[in-house]
Amino acid sequence: MNRSHRHGAGSGCLGTMEVKSKFGAEFRRFSLERSKPGRFEEFYGLLQHVHKIPNVDVLVAYTDVHGDLLPINNDDNYHKAVSTANPLLRVFIQKKEEADYSAFGTDTLTKKKNVLSNVLRPDNHRKKPHIVISMPQDFRPVSSIIDVDILPETHRRVRLYKYGTEKPLGFYIRDGSSVRVTPHGLEKVPGIFISRLVPGGLAQSTGLLAVNDEVLEVNGIEVSGKSLDQVTDMMIANSRNLIITVRPANQRNNVVRNSRTSGSSGQSTDNSLPGYPPQAEPSFEPEDEDSDEDDLVIEDNGAPQQIPKAVPNAESLESLAQVELSLESAQNGFVPSGEGSLAPVASGASTEFEARVPDRKLLEEDGTIITL
Amino acid sequence: MMKFRFRRQGADPQREKLKQELFAFNKTVEHGFPNQPSALAFDPELRIMAIGTRSGAVKIYGAPGVEFTGLHRDMATVTQMHFLPGQSWSLLTHQGRLLTLLDDSSLHLWEIVHQNGCAHLEEALSFQLPSRLGFDGASGPPTLAHITVVLLVAASNMAALGTEGGSVFFLDVSTLMLIEGQTLGPDEVLRSLPDDYRCGKALGPVESLQGHLRDPTKILIGYSRGLLVIWNQAAQCADCIFLGNQLESLCWERSGSTLVSSHSDGSYAIWSVDTDSSPVMQPTVATVPYGPFPCKAISKILWRSCESGGHFIIFSGGMPRASYGDRHCVSVLRAETLVTLDFTSRIIDFFTVHSTRPEDEFDEPQALAVLLEEELVVLDLQVPGWPVVPAPYLAPLHSSAITCSAHVANVPAKLWARIVSAGEQQSPQPASSALSWPITGGRSLAQEPSQRGLLLTGHEDGTVRFWDASGVALQPLYKLSTAGLFQTDCEHADSLAQATEDDWPPFRKVGCFDPYSDDPRLGVQKVALCKYTAQMVVAGTAGQVLVLELNDVPSEQAVSVASMDLLQDREGFTWKGHERLSPRTGPLPWPAGFQPRVLVQCLPPAAVTAVTLHTEWSLVAFGTSHGFGLFDYQRKSPVLARCTLHPNDSLAMEGPLSRVKSLKKSLRQSFRRIRKSRVSGKKRAANANSKLQEANAQLAEQACPHDVEMTPVQRRIEPRSADDSLSGVVRCLYFADTFLRDAAHHGPTMWAGTNSGSVFAYALEVPAAVAGSEKRPEKVVEAVLGKEVQLMHRAPVVAIAVLDGRGRPLPEPYEASQDLAQAPDMQGGHAVLIASEEQFKVFTLPKVSAKTKFKLTAHEGCRVRKVALATFASVACEDYAETCLACLTNLGDVHVFSVPGLRPQVHYSCIRKEDISGIASCVFTRHGQGFYLISPSEFERFSLSARNITEPLCSLDLSWPRGAARASYSLQESPKLSQANGTPGIVLAPQSCDGSPNPVHSQGADTPEPLEAALSPMSIDSATSADTTLDTIGDITVEDVKDFLGTSEESERNLRNLVEDEARACAILIK
């Protein structure tokens, strides 16, 4: 306790942030540099130190702005926790052996309605039991719905984050045909559809893609006129940061825009966020979408390092910009608006997943659903 | 119709104009031998020859460089072709018109026509026979059902059509309309027969129609059952009647007094035509030339008279059924001299070049041309011994299957002359042969090419053939065989076979088509040639790397042999593939030409997948599926070996997915095949006329397509993982003098790229050559690993090139030091261009940082198959040229990118995406042209450059009454308008110059070339079969097959375990 010096909550000090840590019945309070939170391991060590529990394996969790209990177990979600703490970071510590994993997830601490589930199912307010999610070792975003403000309501743009290779992307695509409204009336046009989701795969676990969803774009490039093989290769080439725009086969889960807020960026999903600091980006920043570009170079048997991007000199700048701009312009647009839906899997997917199960059955019975 | 990927670029009109001056897509000419020829014709007046193919293409050849191509609208086999003869003999007329008969019973009239200042072969008229309607009983009037023979009647504008039903119809050629009322039915002929010749049976189909050179009113009709009738058109009666055996073919002698008929029992008969019309029962001579045992039919016979006495009888077939029934033979008989020409492939047709002027008394045949399924052979009949005349075109590229190809541009005159002289020593020309090439029609207007281009093709039998690819006609120059260096099992067998051969029939082996390889391990996988030092490297299927040097005189010397272990004692790998070749030891005699100096054998002996040569440093680098090696061939010592295998890679050890199987296995399979074919044969016999049922079944299948939808073609979306099989395959190797360690010192470097997206860069210590001497001092070369780059997208690295300070590719070895190219800029920062199958990237050097990139696959969904740096010269400005990256994708599209900006310039569709072997065989030249195989025997040449175009430009003196006016044209042929062989000629180019591009812009390249491009010097240029896999199945890789087949998830999974049978099946399916 003597280590922590108290700052008044209202002092508004920009540099430091108050941390309230609870282990069992004990509370500890201390402060952190908001700008330099350090690494997760250091934070973990600090917690063990202040609670005087060295050599005890613990799980660390915090409550986010929605009141959800979320784990802190790596740098990414630690930084997210620090950056979103407002004004103070509430940390809960459990011994690993007696940890209650089911506590994680939405609506765990507060009885406040989840914003996202409200938006997605305004008619469905019934309470559901929470499903158990796995040991949250790698707790970071795996998917998100983006560009809600610029896309038609019938479309959904899904971003899948592929970290490492532990979990397969896990979906298949096929050829098919869909009906479009054209100046000449209805026309049947060839299209690419999701044909299968691998159980346990990333695509299925997000619940954002479903069988018979029509794929419209891959990373901003329209797939119309491209063959199945071409689309396959495009998806594989973009697999580390795959952004698929689909027309969901099931149109009942579409984002319903409030007429009041429709068209305004981000508000449709996020208007309840109090004082969300926009500059505090979690690990998935736009530069990150080129993470697949970070080829490794090993110099003279030294340690591998990522290849930096060359500082373009005046001569090559022009040519570089031409390519880069066209590559990224389509993807930059979503960044501000995407914030709200970038909710980690705990809030989005767990509920989504449940809701999907009956839907999928429905689809299987119906066969091909033609959507207009 | 250019597709702009980026609107941004389309906005700049100046750049657009420049692009139009630089790039244009044209498919210009087809080199090699037409695939699956089916018909032959010769115009004795114009001295041009036409070849028709099973795909409906018509190709006309004259003198070297004179070529016309046409393609029928329907994909039907051309069964017969006839040039329209001159119309009257008072005035020499050259029509240049051709009548073709397809197997769908349609007749087509082709003309070489003049249009907008240029000419081409064009279909003028076509005539589809009325299809058989309803009942076709014997009672009905004769219908024109199936044409068996066509005769163009010399004097009138008329064609006689013999049919299966035994009728002869007459057709007006100028309109392709049937002439009513002239039809000669079998009944009419029978009526003019004396009663005792009517055997109560039908006459059978018309088997032969022959016209008389001097008396056009008479037609000789031969019916299948053996009746021969000389029909007088004017009198409408039979002049003479002969009765022979089952007829195969007829020939009417020039004077009209003698007939020769050939029969299905292998006999031929000579009949004398008497003026009295009493029927002839017995021929003057009847003989079975290869009797007395049963013989096969003589399918075609020719009789040619000579002034010097004695006549030629030339016939095909007729061999003794039991002993030589499987031979493809043409027999040439003159007086007592008989030669049985023994060919390696099926005989399609043959003709003689002889006098056709009616006033001449004798035929005086000059040459015999035999069209075979795989080659054209011409014999000089005026020289005793009838030697073969080497063909200046229609080269049988595929005499052994092509396994790789490479193009060398701007060959120095000195090296050219040496190669030509080596080739001449190889096949000495008979000096006595007065006749050079009998088919001499037309004149080539194409300018003498300003630079020499050499196309090298590596073959399955271990040979490398050198072709003159400077002009329209691809001519063989020299053939290098590497088989002599190795011990193979087959030599004894050969000598045995020869010993057992009898001297009757007097066989003479003719032709060079020989698809059988002694040993598949001899196959050539990669070729690289240094045009300044005349050194080359040839790498093969069993890991052999041969360094050869051109020597103008024969020599006898031992070849030094070294082996390099590329596994580097990696544990847990056992090679299960073929063994390495065992080289002959001791001094070996070598003919003049490229003689081997050093042989390096890789261990394990997997096929070499990449090779590169640096003659200035005397270094050769080579890679297999296991790793790569660097060898100093001056000191004959290995420098470096590096294993690139991933620990999980097991497939690499399985050896190639070979087409050679164990004898046991292949025997078993062939038995199975025989059994299967017997079963199916019976079935076919049982319901022979169930075609209707089949058709119904097909309709029914089409009617329920939901069957197909039940199991849709699916594609799995998964990123590539690091432990994919075959990740260790070395895809490209490259030498460069550049900055690898620091920005102050440049030096020799070697680069290697693998299938899993790894790039290894080595700094080399090469002792500097002493001034004035060619060779460097005898010091050890050392290699130190400088950098290792792992591309995160892990796609196979297809090519590596270093760009100098001005962003231009480094010149080839010796190019700069011999002042043949501008020295590279060593002041500015260098950059390395790494092309993977998915992306192009430029990194700075020596500090590797990404500069520019283009993600092709992420944008287009296509994958890179071939890339090359090429120099594109401008049409408008003599001096302006740009170096660009040309790229062929798996969809068969060609993209051009700027360098080093990597901005897309133009984009054309070139090859059908289903044509996997075509895509795999593509090779780019340094000046924006390219070649790819459209069939196993033909290269299509295309050009991306607006200036550098090699196309046939020729003239043909035609004169024939066309409409009212009689005109004489000197025609120019345009770039091919229609594509033979069904390759779509869609041009997405910026309006590729109206009319024909100026012939002046042919091969315009001035030396020294400032912009000579070099990308992994030769190995990139060389298109090879073993690109991604180890198999030797020509040109098809596992990956290609994967691309092509609609693999479901399961088959995709199984692909790793792909057994060789399956791979073979795929290959057959695709081809």
Side-chain angles (χ1 to χ4, degrees):
Chain A
M1 273 305 199
N2 47 1
R3 282 176 53 95
S4 58
H5 26 268
R6 291 208 50 170
H7 287 267
S11 69
C13 178
L14 286 171
T16 56
M17 174 197 58
E18 192 177 339
V19 181
K20 185 177 173 189
S21 169
K22 181 173 183 264
F23 175 63
E26 282 185 65
F27 282 97
R28 296 282 189 278
R29 282 173 187 272
F30 57 96
S31 70
L32 277 179
E33 284 281 314
R34 193 189 280 272
S35 53
K36 279 183 279 178
R39 300 176 60 80
F40 169 70
E41 287 80 30
E42 296 161 24
F43 181 67
Y44 188 80
L46 179 63
L47 288 174
Q48 285 183 323
H49 179 79
V50 297
H51 284 283
K52 301 196 173 60
I53 44 166
N55 308 322
V56 178
D57 276 347
V58 291
L59 284 182
V60 184
Y62 75 105
T63 50
D64 77 341
V65 285
H66 304 287
D68 298 340
L69 183 66
L70 302 174
I72 302 179
N73 51 13
N74 60 22
D75 285 351
D76 290 341
N77 50 24
Y78 170 54
H79 293 160
K80 171 86 177 171
V82 169
S83 61
T84 57
N86 193 21
L88 100 168
L89 178 66
R90 291 173 198 276
V91 173
F92 297 85
I93 300 172
Q94 289 174 290
K95 273 192 186 163
K96 238 180 197 161
E97 28 311 0
E98 50 204 45
D100 173 19
Y101 296 117
S102 64
F104 291 112
T106 12
D107 298 353
T108 41
L109 293 180
T110 59
K111 295 300 155 203
K112 208 161 64 178
K113 274 279 173 282
N114 181 284
V115 178
L116 193 64
S117 65
N118 253 340
V119 170
L120 291 179
R121 275 180 309 285
D123 53 324
N124 184 4
H125 288 271
R126 65 195 153 84
K127 201 86 194 100
K128 292 172 300 292
H130 297 293
I131 62 145
V132 179
I133 60 172
S134 60
M135 178 70 175
Q137 290 298 336
D138 275 308
F139 207 82
R140 41 192 168 187
V142 293
S143 67
S144 52
I145 301 181
I146 57 175
D147 291 354
V148 185
D149 54 336
I150 55 169
L151 281 177
E153 288 177 23
T154 53
H155 295 185
R156 180 186 297 163
R157 187 165 288 167
V158 177
R159 187 169 175 180
L160 298 173
Y161 304 84
K162 175 89 180 115
Y163 294 100
T165 50
E166 308 89 51
K167 204 170 197 180
L169 276 174
F171 67 100
Y172 290 72
I173 57 172
R174 62 166 171 88
D175 276 320
S177 60
S178 69
V179 180
R180 293 268 159 79
V181 187
T182 65
H184 320 289
L186 293 182
E187 257 181 35
K188 224 176 177 187
V189 291
I192 304 288
F193 293 85
I194 293 175
S195 64
R196 202 182 133 193
L197 298 179
V198 176
L202 185 59
Q204 192 218 36
S205 63
T206 65
L208 300 178
L209 299 173
V211 172
N212 290 331
D213 285 1
E214 183 181 359
V215 178
L216 302 170
E217 284 179 13
V218 175
N219 287 50
I221 298 148
E222 280 190 40
V223 304
S224 70
K226 291 202 159 63
S227 71
L228 184 64
D229 290 320
Q230 272 175 288
V231 179
T232 306
D233 281 341
M234 283 166 69
M235 287 188 176
I236 290 173
N238 288 308
S239 59
R240 287 183 178 254
N241 176 43
L242 187 58
I243 300 168
I244 315 177
T245 309
V246 294
R247 192 204 322 259
N250 182 352
Q251 290 280 326
R252 270 170 286 174
N253 287 340
N254 288 341
V255 173
V256 175
R257 286 192 198 128
N258 220 320
S259 61
R260 180 173 55 87
T261 57
S262 74
S264 63
S265 167
Q267 298 241 327
S268 54
T269 57
D270 243 3
N271 43 13
S272 66
L273 272 185
Y276 194 84
Q279 75 278 14
E281 274 286 312
S283 62
F284 38 92
E285 301 172 301
E287 302 92 76
D288 217 42
E289 72 196 27
D290 263 357
S291 61
D292 63 310
E293 296 312 297
D294 294 341
D295 306 318
L296 289 174
V297 61
I298 303 164
E299 302 257 0
D300 302 342
N301 303 323
Q305 60 188 69
Q306 289 192 331
I307 295 179
K309 191 164 275 179
V311 179
N313 52 24
E315 161 205 12
S316 67
L317 184 65
E318 165 228 23
S319 61
L320 181 65
Q322 301 264 356
V323 178
E324 296 298 317
L325 278 175
S326 51
L327 275 177
E328 279 155 20
S329 58
Q331 296 159 3
N332 280 337
F334 66 78
V335 173
S337 65
E339 286 312 307
S341 53
L342 289 178
V345 73
S347 61
S350 61
T351 48
E352 273 294 293
F353 181 76
E354 270 183 303
R356 276 298 150 117
V357 176
D359 289 347
R360 282 224 322 281
K361 273 185 189 150
L362 195 88
L363 281 177
E364 280 159 15
E365 286 158 17
D366 287 359
T368 316
I369 291 176
I370 296 169
T371 55
L372 289 177
Chain B
M1 285 251 299
M2 185 163 53
K3 269 192 187 169
F4 294 113
R5 287 262 23 260
F6 297 107
R7 197 141 294 162
R8 198 186 306 277
Q9 289 176 355
D12 181 1
Q14 215 168 349
R15 181 66 200 163
E16 286 314 302
K17 187 167 171 288
L18 194 55
K19 277 197 214 167
Q20 288 186 16
E21 290 166 3
L22 291 174
F23 312 113
F25 184 75
N26 285 299
K27 288 188 182 179
T28 51
V29 64
E30 286 154 21
H31 294 305
F33 186 76
N35 190 35
Q36 294 190 309
S38 57
L40 177 70
F42 180 64
D43 188 331
E45 282 133 17
L46 285 169
R47 294 182 92 85
I48 53 177
M49 170 183 67
I51 294 178
T53 72
R54 278 199 222 169
S55 55
V58 177
K59 299 182 153 209
I60 296 182
Y61 299 90
V66 178
E67 286 187 34
F68 301 90
T69 301
L71 185 66
H72 287 96
R73 250 171 253 119
D74 304 312
M75 273 279 286
T77 301
V78 181
T79 53
Q80 286 185 48
M81 295 195 295
H82 300 272
F83 277 103
L84 267 60
Q87 299 226 295
S88 76
W89 43 92
S90 60
L91 197 123
L92 259 153
T93 55
H94 303 310
Q95 300 207 31
R97 292 203 289 173
L98 182 73
L99 189 70
T100 60
L101 172 68
L102 306 190
D103 67 349
D104 63 356
S105 283
S106 60
L107 284 162
H108 302 261
L109 185 67
W110 293 82
E111 290 174 356
I112 296 173
V113 291
H114 192 254
Q115 220 174 40
N116 295 338
C118 62
H120 54 94
L121 188 65
E122 196 177 70
E123 189 178 332
L125 288 168
S126 71
F127 171 65
Q128 178 73 47
L129 293 188
S131 57
R132 199 184 282 234
L133 287 171
F135 313 98
D136 187 31
S139 58
T143 54
L144 191 50
H146 185 87
I147 301 174
T148 50
V149 281
V150 175
L151 169 72
L152 289 163
V153 183
S156 54
N157 218 342
M158 207 162 68
L161 312 174
T163 68
E164 203 146 62
S167 312
V168 178
F169 293 78
F170 291 91
L171 188 78
D172 182 5
V173 174
S174 54
T175 56
L176 282 195
M177 302 274 274
L178 278 181
I179 302 171
E180 301 287 334
Q182 285 217 32
T183 307
L184 181 64
D187 299 339
E188 213 169 328
V189 174
L190 277 173
R191 236 175 282 136
S192 59
L193 287 183
D195 283 346
D196 42 331
Y197 289 108
R198 286 184 222 157
C199 31
K201 283 191 268 180
L203 296 172
V206 178
E207 200 64 53
S208 182
L209 282 175
Q210 298 290 322
H212 196 269
L213 200 60
R214 294 180 190 165
D215 188 357
T217 57
K218 287 180 183 170
I219 301 174
L220 171 63
I221 308 168
Y223 293 95
S224 174
R225 291 262 163 86
L227 181 75
L228 316 179
V229 176
I230 294 179
W231 186 260
N232 192 326
Q233 271 282 94
Q236 289 288 313
C237 67
D239 275 0
C240 300
I241 292 161
F242 312 88
L243 201 60
N245 296 330
Q246 187 81 20
L247 186 73
E248 284 287 324
S249 98
L250 276 177
C251 183
W252 203 355
E253 200 252 334
R254 162 180 292 262
S255 63
S257 59
T258 311
L259 296 181
V260 189
S261 63
S262 74
H263 304 278
S264 57
D265 60 354
S267 67
Y268 68 85
I270 302 168
W271 310 76
S272 63
V273 180
D274 295 326
T275 38
D276 60 18
S277 60
S278 68
V280 183
M281 291 296 289
Q282 283 302 318
T284 47
V285 180
T287 171
V288 183
Y290 293 105
F293 299 112
C295 291
K296 299 192 84 172
I298 294 180
S299 54
K300 180 173 178 176
I301 192 159
L302 292 179
W303 169 289
R304 296 286 178 250
S305 59
C306 295
E307 195 174 11
S308 54
H311 47 258
F312 280 97
I313 292 177
I314 302 165
F315 61 89
S316 62
M319 300 310 291
R321 189 175 291 276
S323 40
Y324 300 111
D326 55 342
R327 300 283 183 111
H328 310 289
C329 292
V330 169
S331 306
V332 184
L333 175 68
R334 189 190 182 192
E336 294 305 304
T337 320
L338 172 69
V339 169
T340 312
L341 304 169
D342 185 9
F343 296 103
T344 48
S345 56
R346 202 164 60 82
I347 293 150
I348 306 295
D349 203 353
F350 56 94
F351 65 82
T352 58
V353 180
H354 62 272
S355 163
T356 49
R357 282 180 300 171
E359 61 268 27
D360 284 352
E361 201 178 332
F362 297 99
D363 290 323
E364 288 299 336
Q366 298 171 303
L368 167 68
V370 185
L371 177 69
L372 305 156
E373 192 144 49
E374 307 291 354
E375 60 187 322
L376 180 83
V377 175
V378 173
L379 278 86
D380 188 346
L381 295 181
Q382 290 174 320
V383 174
W386 305 324
V388 173
V389 184
Y393 45 78
L394 286 171
L397 288 167
H398 59 318
S399 49
S400 168
I402 297 177
T403 46
C404 70
S405 43
H407 184 267
V408 186
N410 279 6
V411 179
K414 196 176 149 204
L415 174 66
W416 190 268
R418 290 176 72 192
I419 291 174
V420 168
S421 95
E424 278 166 0
Q425 289 182 51
Q426 232 171 15
S427 55
Q429 295 291 309
S432 55
S433 179
L435 188 72
S436 48
W437 180 249
I439 299 154
T440 54
R443 282 191 318 279
S444 176
L445 300 178
Q447 286 203 330
E448 193 64 18
S450 58
Q451 59 116 327
R452 296 285 178 188
L454 198 59
L455 184 70
L456 311 180
T457 54
H459 296 262
E460 205 185 18
D461 62 354
T463 57
V464 177
R465 280 157 220 252
F466 291 61
W467 308 91
D468 176 2
S470 326
V472 170
L474 191 74
Q475 291 186 39
L477 291 178
Y478 167 71
K479 178 175 132 182
L480 160 70
S481 177
T482 60
L485 184 59
F486 302 102
Q487 288 172 346
T488 49
D489 322 326
C490 306
E491 289 138 37
H492 313 286
D494 257 5
S495 55
L496 272 174
Q498 253 161 29
T500 53
E501 197 111 293
D502 291 335
D503 43 352
W504 176 262
F507 283 122
R508 177 172 151 201
K509 288 254 179 221
V510 188
C512 59
F513 177 72
D514 178 18
Y516 306 105
S517 166
D518 289 348
D519 190 334
R521 293 177 296 170
L522 292 171
V524 176
Q525 294 292 335
K526 290 284 171 186
V527 180
L529 170 74
C530 171
K531 59 191 179 189
Y532 302 107
T533 56
Q535 291 174 343
M536 74 180 292
V537 54
V538 176
T541 307
Q544 73 271 32
V545 179
L546 263 171
V547 180
L548 306 104
E549 202 169 352
L550 185 60
N551 191 349
D552 296 324
V553 289
S555 71
E556 186 163 320
Q557 59 176 343
V559 177
S560 71
V561 180
S563 67
M564 277 176 84
D565 182 14
L566 297 181
L567 273 186
Q568 292 289 292
D569 304 324
R570 197 70 84 87
E571 295 280 316
F573 289 112
T574 355
W575 171 250
K576 296 174 193 159
H578 49 230
E579 288 181 11
R580 67 166 149 170
L581 288 159
S582 50
R584 289 169 203 265
T585 47
L588 295 166
W590 298 106
F594 282 92
Q595 299 171 351
R597 293 279 176 271
V598 179
L599 168 68
V600 186
Q601 292 186 293
C602 301
L603 286 177
V608 176
T609 53
V611 84
T612 184
L613 178 72
H614 202 293
T615 45
E616 218 166 334
W617 306 333
S618 297
L619 292 175
V620 61
F622 44 86
T624 70
S625 50
H626 304 105
F628 55 90
L630 179 64
F631 193 84
D632 172 0
Y633 63 84
Q634 185 183 320
R635 297 188 71 245
K636 299 183 173 56
S637 68
V639 178
L640 165 82
R642 158 110 193 197
C643 180
T644 54
L645 276 183
H646 192 271
N648 299 359
D649 191 350
S650 55
L651 194 63
M653 281 303 150
E654 297 291 329
L657 301 163
S658 165
R659 70 155 63 159
V660 267
K661 285 177 272 178
S662 69
L663 183 65
K664 217 196 275 176
K665 206 169 184 182
S666 64
L667 273 179
R668 203 184 309 139
Q669 274 174 353
S670 55
F671 275 123
R672 233 174 253 162
R673 212 171 299 135
I674 289 168
R675 215 177 303 147
K676 217 181 267 173
S677 68
R678 272 196 200 133
V679 171
S680 58
K682 267 179 209 157
K683 256 186 205 158
R684 214 171 295 137
N687 28 351
N689 51 2
S690 65
K691 267 197 179 154
L692 193 72
Q693 286 174 18
E694 269 172 42
N696 276 337
Q698 267 182 355
L699 270 177
E701 265 169 40
Q702 282 169 1
C704 47
H706 55 263
D707 222 4
V708 186
E709 273 180 10
M710 293 290 269
T711 51
V713 179
Q714 296 191 105
R715 291 285 185 277
R716 186 186 163 127
I717 310 297
E718 249 3 291
R720 248 181 317 283
S721 62
D723 55 341
D724 253 353
S725 62
L726 295 175
S727 60
V729 178
V730 176
R731 292 292 296 274
C732 59
L733 289 159
Y734 177 65
F735 285 117
D737 182 5
T738 188
F739 303 89
L740 186 63
R741 290 175 180 172
D742 57 73
H745 308 94
H746 63 90
T749 60
M750 186 192 76
W751 299 73
T754 73
N755 232 12
S756 58
S758 299
V759 175
F760 305 93
Y762 283 82
L764 308 177
E765 285 299 334
V766 181
V770 184
S773 93
E774 281 279 293
K775 294 204 167 174
R776 57 183 164 77
E778 295 285 319
K779 275 191 200 159
V780 181
V781 178
E782 282 174 33
V784 185
L785 182 63
K787 283 188 173 64
E788 212 180 305
V789 178
Q790 175 62 56
L791 301 175
M792 280 315 269
H793 63 285
R794 293 193 181 280
V797 179
V798 188
I800 301 170
V802 170
L803 310 172
D804 73 358
R806 289 181 294 257
R808 290 176 185 160
L810 297 183
E812 282 180 58
Y814 280 117
E815 215 167 45
S817 62
Q818 296 195 351
D819 286 336
L820 295 163
Q822 201 178 348
D825 178 7
M826 302 307 265
Q827 303 305 317
H830 280 200
V832 60
L833 166 68
I834 296 178
S836 79
E837 280 195 3
E838 298 191 354
Q839 304 182 0
F840 306 115
K841 281 184 163 179
V842 174
F843 297 95
T844 57
L845 286 176
K847 179 158 173 46
V848 177
S849 53
K851 202 170 161 194
T852 55
K853 65 169 177 247
F854 186 80
K855 297 176 167 185
L856 184 71
T857 307
H859 276 99
E860 303 278 345
C862 53
R863 297 173 68 83
V864 178
R865 283 284 171 265
K866 303 281 167 185
V867 293
L869 286 167
T871 308
F872 292 89
S874 165
V875 197
C877 173
E878 196 63 34
D879 302 327
Y880 186 76
E882 278 185 24
T883 300
C884 292
L885 183 74
C887 148
L888 178 78
T889 71
N890 64 335
L891 301 176
D893 296 348
V894 176
H895 298 247
V896 178
F897 297 88
S898 64
V899 170
L902 296 181
R903 289 155 65 181
Q905 301 296 309
V906 284
H907 165 205
Y908 312 104
S909 101
C910 179
I911 311 176
R912 281 178 305 120
K913 69 176 175 196
E914 293 83 8
D915 185 6
I916 289 166
S917 53
I919 292 171
S921 65
C922 179
V923 53
F924 288 104
T925 76
R926 295 282 161 76
H927 301 289
Q929 295 198 28
F931 300 88
Y932 67 91
L933 287 172
I934 44 176
S935 71
S937 57
E938 280 168 293
F939 273 115
E940 172 83 59
R941 188 182 194 127
F942 63 90
S943 66
L944 298 168
S945 164
R947 184 154 127 190
N948 190 6
I949 297 171
T950 305
E951 62 189 339
L953 292 161
C954 46
S955 74
L956 205 56
D957 288 321
L958 303 177
S959 67
W960 53 282
R962 192 159 189 254
R966 223 169 242 269
S968 175
Y969 302 120
S970 181
L971 303 179
Q972 283 210 333
E973 213 225 352
S974 71
K976 268 191 326 180
L977 294 183
S978 57
Q979 290 299 319
N981 294 284
T983 39
I986 305 157
V987 179
L988 301 168
Q991 324 86 5
S992 58
C993 340
D994 320 353
S996 69
N998 200 331
V1000 177
H1001 306 303
S1002 59
Q1003 308 272 343
D1006 25 45
T1007 42
E1009 282 175 294
L1011 293 166
E1012 181 76 344
L1015 183 58
S1016 284
M1018 303 305 295
S1019 62
I1020 290 313
D1021 264 7
S1022 71
T1024 308
S1025 56
D1027 254 343
T1028 47
T1029 53
L1030 313 170
D1031 61 353
T1032 54
I1033 303 167
D1035 300 329
I1036 290 169
T1037 64
V1038 168
E1039 194 146 312
D1040 290 327
V1041 174
K1042 187 160 59 175
D1043 280 356
F1044 181 72
L1045 294 174
T1047 39
S1048 65
E1049 174 204 9
E1050 284 69 30
S1051 64
E1052 216 167 319
R1053 273 186 192 154
N1054 290 341
L1055 207 72
R1056 290 187 192 185
N1057 314 327
L1058 199 67
V1059 287
E1060 53 188 44
D1061 293 7
E1062 275 174 336
R1064 256 195 110 196
C1066 295
I1068 291 159
L1069 181 91
I1070 290 149
K1071 277 180 176 173

